[in-house]
Amino acid sequence: MTTASPFPTIDYDANDYDYQDYWNGRDYEMWSEDRVLRRLIPQLRPFSWFADFGGAYGRNSRYYLHEAQQAVILDYSATNLTNAAGRHPGSLDKLGLVRCDLNKVPFADDAFDAAMVIRVLHHLPDVDHALGEMGRTIAGGWLIDVPIKHHLLGLARGAVNRRLADVRNAQPLVTGASDEKYFNFQLTAIRERLTSLGWRTRLGASVNNFRRWESRVPSTVARYARPVVQGLEACTQSVGRGWLGPSQFVVGTRTITPAPRFGEPAPGLPAFTARMVCPACRGALAWTPETAKCGGCAREYHRHGPYWDFVAH
Ligand SMILES: C[S@@+](CC[C@H](N)C(=O)[O-])C[C@H]1O[C@@H](n2cnc3c(N)ncnc32)[C@H](O)[C@@H]1O
């Protein structure tokens, strides 16, 4: 289900959905992403401030939390953020939780040194806008998981369905029901958009190259075949860059000079609040321990237990 707005946003909280359950029985995908994140996140160094865009319950926090001085998960889902708090009880002093729409990010330009956005772009109907909005808040390195439409299987499917031109062109391929659409992209179009925003990009890895194989074979076969498929995944994460798998991990870099300077948070408030702005008008915020009020448009935002709600209405 999506919310109605200029940027329809998928609502992970609808129908009591819990994204944590999605990962049951997906050992191969988990393994394959772990392999690549352990290799690519260190390539974003050095970073003190880290953003996990669409970070949900913090599934990937182990790759940045030990290193970051301050990290923030930005996500639209209140359930996912509440679960993130439950899963990181000892780290909430350095892990901020902010509910927001990635089309209106409530942080100042260059607020973060580095960031990741994993398994999120396929939810973004106006990806060009969202990339600009997320990207302006990152000063250094960015790991972007791009769901592509022209991977090997996608091209084969396109040929069979006589839709090869649609699979190859620069327009996103839209699938799914009218109220829950999924977007897959042409890699070149995404990289060109990032270049226009001032990012240098390179291909980091082709990931989940044999996605869903586990669910298509009996469990005994899966058990014996797993090491073989994992070996194939390991070999193809590099050679498959740009063409083989449905998830292409892109590393973006840019250099901001001079380094941005930020003030101190109000007494009793976490450090990340000093880098936040109003998501509606980017005005400065006046803080109390429970509320942030915009000096520009007078909108108010509130803390709800472990997370701050910055969805701008
Ligand atoms: C498939 S999950 C991925 C979570 C995490 N990055 C991971 O790799 O496990 C997608 C997440 O993106 C969030 N999301 C999707 N569209 C969003 C938007 N426009 N603004 C904020 N969050 C969004 C969802 O709420 C959800 O938590």
Side-chain angles (χ1 to χ4, degrees), residues 40-53:
L40 294 183
I41 294 285
Q43 294 183 20
L44 306 178
R45 287 175 182 152
F47 58 80
S48 300
W49 283 72
F50 194 94
D52 188 351
F53 292 113

Side-chain angles (χ1 to χ4, degrees), residues 91-102:
S91 308
L92 292 177
D93 53 334
K94 63 186 272 187
L95 180 64
L97 303 174
V98 173
R99 180 167 183 253
C100 67
D101 182 351
L102 297 177

Side-chain angles (χ1 to χ4, degrees), residues 195-267:
T195 304
S196 76
L197 293 165
W199 291 88
R200 290 180 300 281
T201 65
R202 65 188 161 76
L203 294 181
S206 174
V207 188
N208 289 323
N209 295 317
F210 309 97
R211 190 169 58 173
R212 300 209 197 104
W213 75 273
E214 270 172 320
S215 59
R216 292 187 174 142
V217 297
S219 56
T220 29
V221 176
R223 197 164 56 246
Y224 289 110
R226 188 165 295 136
V228 178
V229 182
Q230 287 182 347
L232 285 172
E233 170 77 18
C235 296
T236 53
Q237 283 193 342
S238 288
V239 295
R241 280 181 293 197
W243 63 275
L244 178 56
S247 302
Q248 295 290 325
F249 280 37
V250 171
V251 181
T253 47
R254 65 177 188 150
T255 313
I256 303 297
T257 45
R261 299 175 69 86
F262 297 98
E264 292 298 311

Side-chain angles (χ1 to χ4, degrees), residues 9 12 19 54 56 59-60 75-76 80 100-102 118-119:
T9 306
Y12 266 62
Y19 173 59
R59 182 175 73 92
N60 295 320
D75 201 288
Y76 193 82
N80 283 344
C100 67
D101 182 351
L102 297 177
I118 307 294
R119 289 182 174 256

Side-chain angles (χ1 to χ4, degrees), residues 7-13 17 19 22-23 33 37 52-60 74-78 80-81 98-104 116-125 130 145:
F7 307 105
T9 306
I10 186 148
D11 184 2
Y12 266 62
D13 298 344
Y17 180 64
Y19 173 59
Y22 173 87
W23 286 99
E33 286 178 30
L37 290 173
D52 188 351
F53 292 113
Y57 62 84
R59 182 175 73 92
N60 295 320
L74 303 92
D75 201 288
Y76 193 82
S77 159
N80 283 344
L81 292 172
V98 173
R99 180 167 183 253
C100 67
D101 182 351
L102 297 177
N103 294 290
K104 288 184 183 178
M116 71 199 297
V117 60
I118 307 294
R119 289 182 174 256
V120 177
L121 263 53
H122 63 283
H123 289 313
L124 302 177
D145 169 11

